[in-house]
Amino acid sequence: MVVNKSAGGRTLSLSTTANGTAAAVAGNLQSGVPFLPKSPSFHSGLDLLAGREKSPIIMFCDPTMHLPRLHEANASEREQLLIQKMQQCCVLFDFISDPQSDLKWKEIKRETLHEMVDYLSSNHSSNVLTEAIYPEAVRMFGVNLFRSLPPSSNPNGAEFDPEEDEPLLEAAWPHLQLVYEFFLRFLESQNFNPHLAKNYIDQKFVLQLLELFDSEDPRERDFLKTILHRIYGKFLSLRAYIRKQINNIFYSFIYETEHHNGIAELLEILGSIVNGFALPLKEEHKVFLLKVLLPLHKVKSLSVYHPQLAYCIVQFLEKDPSLTEPVIRSLLKFWPKTHSPKEVMFLNELEEILDIIEPLEFRKVLKPLIHQLARCVSSQHFQVAERALYFWNNEYIMSLMSENVDEILPIMFPVLYKNSKTHWNKNIHGLMYNALKIFTETNPVLFHTCTQQFKEDRKTEVDKLKKRDEKWHRVEELAKRNPNFTVSVDNSLSFYTDFARSPINDLDPTIDLKSLEEDTKYHIDTDNRKNRKEKPLLRRKSELPHDTYTLRALNDHKRADEYLATPPDVNKC
């Protein structure tokens, strides 16, 4: 190794061979150059430089050296000057353990990076990207950014709430931001040559870039998203590799860790990639949809990336409508059972899919889809029921339902009618009456038939419960003949009585379309009057559904005061 100094020790030229070790470089620099920064992380940049076998000669500039500005230098000197400045920016500084160290050199590096960003953005950079610039630009990017990410502040993979949680920001962002901006300008330059850059931006580079997507800093992930998209657009040979590695990240996220910070950004990139797929779709892309994208609905942190996921799926269905049936059946398979907010997200996505579905494809999934919609309408969580009932406000979905009302109404009528009588939320009553009214206007004859069938089914159910009740009474009478029989409950259980008292059985035997229309009009008018009036700031108790079993249990409850060793508290404390 030969160390040459010039300009008063300001510029340092290091000449080493491919077999030279990083330790030798760092040791010679530390012992022979007293003006280098004292930051412990300083040598990491030199280690990466010395480890490169492609470039045996390394030019490193002292960070304290004030090189001429690029705009002021002669045109013949700008290439070498830009290389020197990029090498100068390969020095790393400590922003975590000792943020106040090397403040002078940190500011020099920041100013140099800012100058190079402005230089590439200006008109003077039209011919600046010569062949010698490419390895140095990629090298500077790798030295500054390819690093081990700190442990996650949320290792359990819980959902990130932007309103409650604060992201863990990168301490070295003042430098990293400018490095990202420089490299982005580098890729977007008018005279950027992918054929020259492909020797340096290769598969290893892309893999290291993808690892950074797990950064917790949203600003860094946003830059990474843009840079990866530019690389995908300019390097045709890397496209299949990028898609494969993104698939691997998704597989690991779904089946192993369930934690990754960059899923939303990767899906956003894939959304634009899917939008550019040629028709007909390759089998590889269909497998990606069914085996990678759809299982992403299973992860508990779905809310973090669901808009981007739904966009990707809709883009696939717009490309190939024949994929609609397997997509909807997969959604129904992954449909949440106990997570109401997640169920609302599924309903949002389902409506987006139904907005673009073909009538023929709709018929293929009609019955399972309507049965799931009926379960959502009857949900006791008012947001789920409300979101499902909003489907009746979508004109295209209603046109599909009108064409298939013969199959839909027999499934939906019992659910709509029952919940219009028993649901605890009054806003849901109005929405259900509105849905019933739409069905009434669509096919009055079928609606009347469903009404009669519903009453017959209820009568059959009442008779069945009545017979069951009679059997239990006979069992009780036989039990009373036993001399050891004791009555443990004052009021004997009566399935039929409890069922008959339920408001669901308050069926008007003369129900017809006119009465239903009057009920619907009453609810709509009532809601309008409520909206016009200013609501007073009064605290009201929630209106809960009346459960006859609970009411009877409360009435039958007796305090155990007589069995207590100490008398009860007279103050009821």
Side-chain angles (χ1 to χ4, degrees):
M1 174 179 292
V2 179
V3 181
N4 296 325
K5 292 185 180 181
S6 61
R10 291 297 184 180
T11 303
L12 182 66
S13 174
L14 303 180
S15 178
T16 183
T17 63
N19 296 326
T21 62
V25 176
N28 281 280
L29 287 174
Q30 226 176 10
S31 60
V33 189
F35 54 80
L36 290 178
K38 307 303 181 184
S39 174
S41 61
F42 163 73
H43 297 296
S44 60
L46 296 179
D47 294 344
L48 288 174
L49 288 173
R52 293 275 182 169
E53 298 182 0
K54 296 180 180 179
S55 179
I57 298 178
I58 302 171
M59 287 293 299
F60 174 74
C61 298
D62 168 22
T64 62
M65 174 182 171
H66 295 284
L67 296 172
R69 297 187 64 84
L70 289 166
H71 294 294
E72 299 172 356
N74 296 328
S76 59
E77 300 175 354
R78 286 176 184 168
E79 176 187 336
Q80 188 61 30
L81 183 59
L82 180 59
I83 291 175
Q84 289 180 347
K85 286 181 178 290
M86 285 189 289
Q87 292 172 347
Q88 188 179 42
C89 291
C90 288
V91 180
L92 305 182
F93 296 95
D94 185 5
F95 284 85
I96 300 176
S97 61
D98 191 6
Q100 300 300 320
S101 64
D102 303 324
L103 293 179
K104 178 181 178 181
W105 292 287
K106 289 177 181 177
E107 180 61 22
I108 291 175
K109 180 177 178 179
R110 191 195 65 80
E111 291 178 355
T112 304
L113 287 168
H114 195 275
E115 179 192 355
M116 291 192 297
V117 170
D118 290 341
Y119 181 65
L120 288 185
S121 304
S122 65
N123 296 328
H124 298 282
S125 63
S126 56
N127 296 318
V128 75
L129 295 185
T130 59
E131 187 173 355
I133 297 296
Y134 287 88
E136 297 299 334
V138 175
R139 182 181 300 156
M140 186 195 74
F141 183 83
V143 166
N144 283 273
L145 296 171
F146 293 158
R147 65 202 188 279
S148 297
L149 297 175
S152 173
S153 61
N154 186 17
N156 296 326
E159 297 181 12
F160 176 78
D161 187 355
E163 297 181 359
E164 298 291 336
D165 304 329
E166 293 186 1
L168 183 63
L169 301 180
E170 177 62 48
W173 186 246
H175 287 176
L176 298 187
Q177 179 184 9
L178 292 171
V179 174
Y180 275 118
E181 289 185 2
F182 173 81
F183 197 71
L184 188 58
R185 299 290 191 278
F186 172 71
L187 291 173
E188 294 177 344
S189 178
Q190 295 180 356
N191 62 331
F192 177 81
N193 190 342
H195 296 288
L196 293 176
K198 69 180 181 180
N199 296 323
Y200 313 102
I201 301 179
D202 51 11
Q203 293 185 357
K204 181 181 178 182
F205 181 90
V206 169
L207 187 60
Q208 291 176 302
L209 194 70
L210 286 170
E211 290 175 356
L212 295 177
F213 273 87
D214 201 18
S215 170
E216 295 195 21
D217 195 330
R219 303 169 299 180
E220 182 169 15
R221 297 199 304 270
D222 191 59
F223 269 112
L224 289 167
K225 174 186 66 179
T226 308
I227 288 174
L228 184 62
H229 192 270
R230 297 293 183 271
I231 292 176
Y232 187 90
K234 291 180 179 292
F235 296 87
L236 302 182
S237 59
L238 292 175
R239 290 186 175 183
Y241 182 79
I242 291 174
R243 293 197 302 269
K244 178 182 177 181
Q245 293 305 322
I246 292 177
N247 286 3
N248 293 338
I249 292 175
F250 287 160
Y251 281 133
S252 175
F253 174 67
I254 297 168
Y255 300 108
E256 294 178 1
T257 64
E258 286 198 354
H259 179 271
H260 195 282
N261 294 307
I263 299 298
E265 286 78 12
L266 291 174
L267 285 171
E268 194 169 340
I269 295 172
L270 287 172
S272 59
I273 292 176
V274 172
N275 192 28
F277 280 164
L279 296 177
L281 291 178
K282 297 179 181 178
E283 190 64 26
E284 168 201 351
H285 303 327
K286 296 179 181 180
V287 171
F288 168 69
L289 169 65
L290 300 177
K291 301 298 183 182
V292 181
L293 288 184
L294 288 172
L296 283 171
H297 290 86
K298 300 192 301 182
V299 185
K300 59 185 177 182
S301 57
L302 174 65
S303 62
V304 177
Y305 56 84
H306 181 258
Q308 293 85 354
L309 177 60
Y311 177 78
C312 288
I313 291 176
V314 170
Q315 290 296 313
F316 264 108
L317 299 184
E318 286 183 342
K319 291 282 184 180
D320 189 354
S322 65
L323 294 170
T324 306
E325 181 182 2
V327 165
I328 291 182
R329 291 190 181 276
S330 294
L331 278 180
L332 298 179
K333 181 177 72 172
F334 298 131
W335 201 276
K337 302 296 189 297
T338 58
H339 197 307
S340 298
K342 197 171 180 181
E343 203 167 357
V344 173
M345 287 187 281
F346 272 61
L347 287 168
N348 290 335
E349 183 175 351
L350 184 60
E351 185 173 9
E352 291 184 28
I353 293 174
L354 293 179
D355 274 334
I356 61 170
I357 195 171
E358 299 289 340
L360 182 61
E361 297 296 326
F362 180 74
R363 287 193 58 81
K364 294 179 181 179
V365 295
L366 177 61
K367 288 191 176 180
L369 179 61
I370 296 302
H371 278 293
Q372 182 60 58
L373 191 60
R375 285 191 287 269
C376 293
V377 166
S378 58
S379 172
Q380 289 301 305
H381 195 288
F382 80 97
Q383 289 181 337
V384 175
E386 183 181 51
R387 186 64 190 87
L389 288 166
Y390 280 155
F391 278 42
W392 274 261
N393 295 334
N394 189 305
E395 293 183 2
Y396 182 67
I397 295 178
M398 285 314 303
S399 66
L400 295 173
M401 288 187 175
S402 299
E403 295 173 0
N404 302 276
V405 69
D406 295 344
E407 299 180 51
I408 295 175
L409 188 54
I411 300 174
M412 292 301 305
F413 180 84
V415 174
L416 291 171
Y417 189 78
K418 288 178 187 177
N419 287 279
S420 67
K421 297 286 186 180
T422 61
H423 202 281
W424 63 273
N425 190 292
K426 289 186 176 180
N427 293 332
I428 301 300
H429 291 185
L431 292 172
M432 289 189 177
Y433 274 110
N434 178 59
L436 286 170
K437 183 181 178 181
I438 292 175
F439 281 132
T440 304
E441 297 170 350
T442 303
N443 194 331
V445 177
L446 179 61
F447 188 88
H448 181 73
T449 303
C450 291
T451 304
Q452 298 302 321
Q453 183 63 39
F454 179 73
K455 289 195 289 185
E456 291 177 6
D457 293 341
R458 299 304 292 173
K459 185 176 182 302
T460 303
E461 190 173 354
V462 170
D463 294 340
K464 181 180 178 181
L465 289 175
K466 187 175 181 180
K467 291 178 181 179
R468 181 184 179 187
D469 200 43
E470 291 173 353
K471 291 180 181 179
W472 277 108
H473 279 300
R474 287 198 295 270
V475 171
E476 188 176 3
E477 291 297 328
L478 292 173
K480 287 180 180 180
R481 298 176 186 178
N482 190 323
N484 296 326
F485 174 78
T486 56
V487 180
S488 59
V489 181
D490 295 337
N491 298 325
S492 59
L493 185 64
S494 174
F495 296 99
Y496 168 71
T497 305
D498 292 336
F499 182 80
R501 289 175 181 173
S502 175
I504 202 171
N505 290 292
D506 186 18
L507 292 177
D508 183 2
T510 62
I511 184 173
D512 55 13
L513 305 183
K514 184 176 180 181
S515 63
L516 179 62
E517 185 175 354
E518 291 175 356
D519 287 344
T520 305
K521 183 178 180 181
Y522 168 76
H523 280 80
I524 294 174
D525 293 342
T526 303
D527 292 339
N528 291 337
R529 286 197 298 271
K530 287 181 179 179
N531 292 333
R532 287 196 297 267
K533 292 181 180 180
E534 294 183 1
K535 295 182 180 180
L537 298 175
L538 298 177
R539 182 177 179 181
R540 300 178 61 185
K541 293 183 178 180
S542 302
E543 297 184 11
L544 300 176
H546 298 288
D547 187 352
T548 55
Y549 296 98
T550 304
L551 293 176
R552 189 174 63 230
L554 292 173
N555 291 332
D556 295 342
H557 174 69
K558 295 181 180 180
R559 290 179 59 88
D561 295 342
E562 55 183 317
Y563 302 105
L564 297 177
T566 57
D569 187 1
V570 294
N571 296 324
K572 308 295 182 183
C573 296

